[in-house]
C-alpha cells in the first residue's frame, strides 16, 4: 500500500486512538508520526497495515506513560472551538474513567476495530486473555454488546480534533552488502574529486533550481483528473501512457499519480505510468464511503457530467462565512454564474502545483466527518446550518504546513446536500481565531 495514501486515510483514527488512551493531543500527534515513520516500510508491503501500525503506536503510548504517568484530562484535549454533543462528551468521559488496561483494550477492540489476536499482540497479552478484557470493558461501559461498545467509542472519538497529517518520512533503504557500500563510497569520492579543481574550487555550478511553474517538458499534475482526462493530457504532450493499478483506499480507478512524478523532465515518446486506485483490505472499508462522496463533489465541481453528489431541493452556498447564493430545484445543476464561480474555485484548488524544495507539491485530499468548529481559521460557521455534522474535504498542500487549507463542508439532510460551505486557504497566522 502507498504509505502516504494510508496516512491520509487512517491518520485521524490513529491520533484519536492515542488520545483515547490518555495522551494529550500534541503528544498523540507526535507519537503517531513516530509510529508511522517506524512502520513505513511494512505499510508499503501490506494490504492491511493497521495491526502493525497500531502495535507500534501502543508501544510508544505506553513508553510515553512511563515518562509522564498522568493521563491527559478530557477537558485538556477538547478543542475550544469544536462543538461537542452531550452524548459524545459523556462517552468520552466514560472511556477516560476506565482503568488503563481496560481502556487500552476498549480502544483497540471497539475503536480501532482490531481482531482479537492483533489486539493481543498490541497489548502484549495472550490471545486467550482478550475475551476476558472484552467482558471487562462491556461491564464497565454503558454497553450491552460489542456493537454498543463500538458506538460509545465512536462517540468518544468524535470529541477529538485532529490536525492534517504531515508527509511521512521515507522508509530507510535496505542495508547493502559491504562491497556494494564500499563501491558506492568510492563513487562518491570520485565524483567529488571530479567536481573540484586542484585549489578546491567547484569545477562547475550546481544544477539550477527547478522552475516555479511547470513547463511543457515536465510531467504535469494529474490530481483530481479522471483516468481519461489524465491519459489525454499526457498523450497530447507526446508521451506514451501505461496504466498500472496501485493499492489505495480510494474509489476504484481513481487517479493517484504518475511514475515518474509531477515535475520530472521528460522527452517526447517517454513512457509515463498512470497509477490508478485498486482498493483492497478491510482498512479501506472504514472511510471508503466518505471519500467516494468527497470525490463525487470534486468531480461535479470540475463539470464531469457523470458525477452525481445528490443535492437537496434547496442548496445554500457560503464562501468564507458569507452567503453567496441559494439554489432551488434544478438550479444547482445549471451552474448559475455565482455558483459556477464557487465551483471554479474548488477546481482551481485541485490544480495547484507548488515548488517544495527540489520537488513539486500537489494537493492531498483529507476527508473528515463531525460537527465543524464554530470558528475555523477565523471563518465563522454559518448560523443557518446549526450544529449539524458535515463532511469536510480539505485540499492540503505540504507547502502550507500549519496553515489553513482550502476546504469544503458538505451538510446533508436525508442524505442530500443542502449546504455547501467553502473556505479559502490562508497561511499560518494569517487569520485570528475568534472565540465562538
Amino acid at each position: 500500500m502507498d504509505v502516504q495514501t494510508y496516512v491520509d486515510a487512517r491518520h485521524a483514527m490513529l491520533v484519536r486512538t492515542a488520545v483515547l488512551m490518555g495522551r494529550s493531543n500534541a503528544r498523540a500527534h507526535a507519537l503517531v508520526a513516530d509510529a508511522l515513520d517506524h512502520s513505513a516500510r511494512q505499510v508499503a508491503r501490506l494490504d492491511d497495515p493497521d495491526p502493525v501500525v497500531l502495535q507500534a503506536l501502543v508501544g510508544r503510548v505506553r513508553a510515553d506513560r512511563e515518562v509522564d504517568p498522568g493521563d491527559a484530562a478530557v477537558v485538556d484535549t477538547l478543542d475550544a472551538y469544536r462543538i461537542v454533543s452531550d452524548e459524545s462528551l459523556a462517552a468520552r468521559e466514560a472511556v477516560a474513567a476506565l482503568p488503563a488496561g481496560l481502556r487500552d483494550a476498549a480502544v483497540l477492540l471497539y475503536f480501532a476495530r482490531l481482531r482479537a489476536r492483533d489486539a493481543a499482540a498490541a497489548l502484549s497479552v495472550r490471545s486467550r486473555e482478550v475475551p476476558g478484557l472484552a467482558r471487562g470493558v462491556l461491564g464497565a461501559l454503558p454497553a450491552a454488546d460489542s456493537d454498543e461498545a463500538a458506538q460509545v467509542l465512536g462517540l468518544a472519538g468524535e470529541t477529538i480534533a485532529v490536525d492534517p497529517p504531515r508527509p511521512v518520512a521515507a522508509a530507510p533503504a535496505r542495508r547493502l552488502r559491504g562491497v556494494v557500500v564500499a563501491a558506492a563510497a568510492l563513487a562518491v569520492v570520485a565524483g567529488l574529486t571530479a567536481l573540484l579543481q586542484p585549489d578546491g574550487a567547484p569545477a562547475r555550478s550546481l544544477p539550477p533550481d527547478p522552475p516555479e511553474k511547470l513547463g511543457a517538458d515536465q510531467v504535469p499534475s494529474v490530481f483530481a483528473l479522471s483516468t481519461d482526462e489524465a491519459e489525454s493530457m499526457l498523450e497530447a504532450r507526446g508521451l506514451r501512457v501505461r496504466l498500472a493499478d496501485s493499492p489505495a483506499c480510494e474509489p476504484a480507478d481513481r487517479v493517484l499519480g504518475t511514475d515518474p512524478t509531477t515535475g520530472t523532465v521528460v522527452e517526447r515518446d517517454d513512457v509515463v505510468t498512470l497509477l490508478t486506485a485498486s482498493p483492497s483490505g478491510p482498512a479501506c472499508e472504514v472511510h471508503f464511503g466518505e471519500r467516494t462522496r468527497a470525490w463525487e463533489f470534486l468531480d461535479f465541481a470540475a463539470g464531469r457530467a457523470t458525477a452525481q453528489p445528490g443535492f437537496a431541493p434547496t442548496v445554500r452556498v457560503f464562501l468564507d462565512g458569507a452567503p453567496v447564493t441559494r439554489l432551488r430545484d434544478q438550479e444547482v445543476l445549471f451552474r448559475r454564474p455565482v455558483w459556477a464561480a464557487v465551483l471554479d474555485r474548488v477546481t482551481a484548488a485541485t490544480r495547484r502545483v507548488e515548488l517544495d524544495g527540489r520537488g513539486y507539491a500537489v494537493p492531498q485530499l483529507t476527508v473528515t466527518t463531525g460537527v465543524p468548529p464554530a470558528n475555523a481559521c477565523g471563518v465563522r460557521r454559518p448560523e443557518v446550518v446549526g450544529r449539524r455534522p458535515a463532511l469536510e474535504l480539505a485540499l492540503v498542500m505540504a507547502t502550507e504546513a500549519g496553515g489553513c487549507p482550502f476546504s469544503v463542508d458538505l451538510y446533508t439532510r436525508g442524505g442530500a446536500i443542502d449546504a455547501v460551505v467553502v473556505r479559502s486557504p490562508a497561511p499560518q497566522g494569517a487569520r485570528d481565531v475568534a472565540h465562538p
Side-chain angles (χ1 to χ4, degrees):
M1 176 178 289
D2 177 74
V3 178
Q4 195 62 50
T5 299
Y6 174 79
V7 172
D8 292 340
R10 304 298 277 161
H11 178 257
M13 180 276 291
L14 295 170
V15 170
R16 288 169 177 152
T17 293
V19 174
L20 289 174
M21 292 175 70
R23 298 298 86 192
S24 70
N25 201 293
R27 288 300 302 152
H29 277 83
L31 294 169
V32 167
D34 187 38
L36 286 168
D37 286 344
H38 176 79
S39 309
R41 183 183 295 169
Q42 292 167 289
V43 170
R45 293 201 304 260
L46 299 171
D47 287 337
D48 179 15
D50 275 357
V52 169
V53 176
L54 283 162
Q55 186 170 353
L57 177 60
V58 171
R60 280 153 178 77
V61 167
R62 291 184 162 182
D64 197 57
R65 280 182 188 156
E66 293 180 5
V67 177
D68 181 9
D71 283 351
V74 171
V75 68
D76 294 334
T77 55
L78 293 178
D79 188 332
Y81 308 107
R82 187 182 182 89
I83 304 300
V84 177
S85 69
D86 292 340
E87 186 180 19
S88 294
L89 184 58
R92 175 72 183 282
E93 291 173 340
V95 173
L98 293 173
L102 284 185
R103 184 180 55 206
D104 292 353
V107 173
L108 293 180
L109 291 170
Y110 302 119
F111 183 73
R113 299 298 193 103
L114 282 184
R115 291 173 297 183
R117 70 168 181 266
D118 294 326
L123 294 167
S124 300
V125 300
R126 295 182 177 88
S127 294
R128 63 173 178 266
E129 296 178 52
V130 173
L133 288 171
R135 287 192 297 271
V137 170
L138 297 178
L141 284 179
D145 54 31
S146 59
D147 288 340
E148 287 190 10
Q151 184 177 8
V152 171
L153 269 293
L155 288 170
E158 289 179 359
T159 67
I160 302 163
V162 180
D163 294 336
R166 66 164 175 77
V168 177
R174 293 181 179 178
R175 187 180 301 276
L176 300 176
R177 295 181 183 275
V179 64
V180 177
V181 173
L186 287 173
V188 170
V189 172
L192 289 175
T193 303
L195 283 172
L196 297 178
Q197 298 283 10
D199 60 359
R204 60 177 182 268
S205 61
L206 293 173
D209 288 339
E212 200 165 318
K213 301 296 182 183
L214 293 180
D217 62 343
Q218 292 175 281
V219 176
S221 169
V222 296
F223 178 78
L225 295 183
S226 69
T227 304
D228 289 344
E229 288 170 336
E231 228 178 327
S232 297
M233 182 172 64
L234 294 170
E235 288 175 346
R237 296 180 178 223
L239 301 169
R240 290 185 292 156
V241 180
R242 184 173 72 89
L243 300 180
D245 289 342
S246 180
C249 295
E250 298 285 12
D253 298 326
R254 190 82 234 174
V255 174
L256 301 175
T258 56
D259 183 15
T261 58
T262 299
T264 303
V265 176
V266 287
E267 297 180 354
R268 190 175 184 84
D269 290 329
D270 280 354
V271 175
V272 174
T273 300
L274 196 59
L275 305 173
T276 58
S278 176
S280 61
C284 291
E285 298 175 4
V286 179
H287 299 293
F288 188 78
E290 298 169 1
R291 294 190 70 83
T292 298
R293 185 146 206 185
W295 281 117
E296 283 177 346
F297 180 80
L298 292 179
D299 286 342
F300 172 80
R304 297 181 185 109
T306 56
Q308 300 293 332
F311 292 98
T314 299
V315 179
R316 299 172 184 266
V317 182
F318 301 83
L319 177 61
D320 292 332
V324 293
T325 189
R326 178 188 292 186
L327 306 165
R328 298 183 185 277
D329 299 324
Q330 297 298 306
E331 289 178 332
V332 68
L333 302 179
F334 296 154
R335 302 174 76 90
R336 288 174 48 186
V338 175
W339 175 223
V342 172
L343 295 176
D344 287 346
R345 283 194 180 217
V346 175
T347 300
T350 68
R351 305 306 306 142
R352 294 175 66 189
V353 178
E354 296 185 357
L355 194 59
D356 182 18
R358 301 294 302 175
Y360 292 88
V362 299
Q364 295 288 331
L365 174 65
T366 65
V367 182
T368 57
T369 57
V371 179
N375 192 311
C377 292
V379 177
R380 294 192 65 83
R381 182 183 64 223
E383 292 184 5
V384 70
V385 301
R387 297 183 177 182
R388 290 189 284 150
L391 179 74
E392 180 188 15
L393 47 139
L395 297 169
V396 182
M397 297 292 292
T399 53
E400 296 174 338
C404 303
F406 185 98
S407 61
V408 181
D409 293 339
L410 301 177
Y411 291 84
T412 61
R413 288 191 187 279
I417 300 170
D418 69 333
V420 178
V421 179
V422 178
R423 288 186 297 276
S424 303
Q428 186 174 18
R431 292 174 179 158
D432 293 325
V433 179
H435 289 279

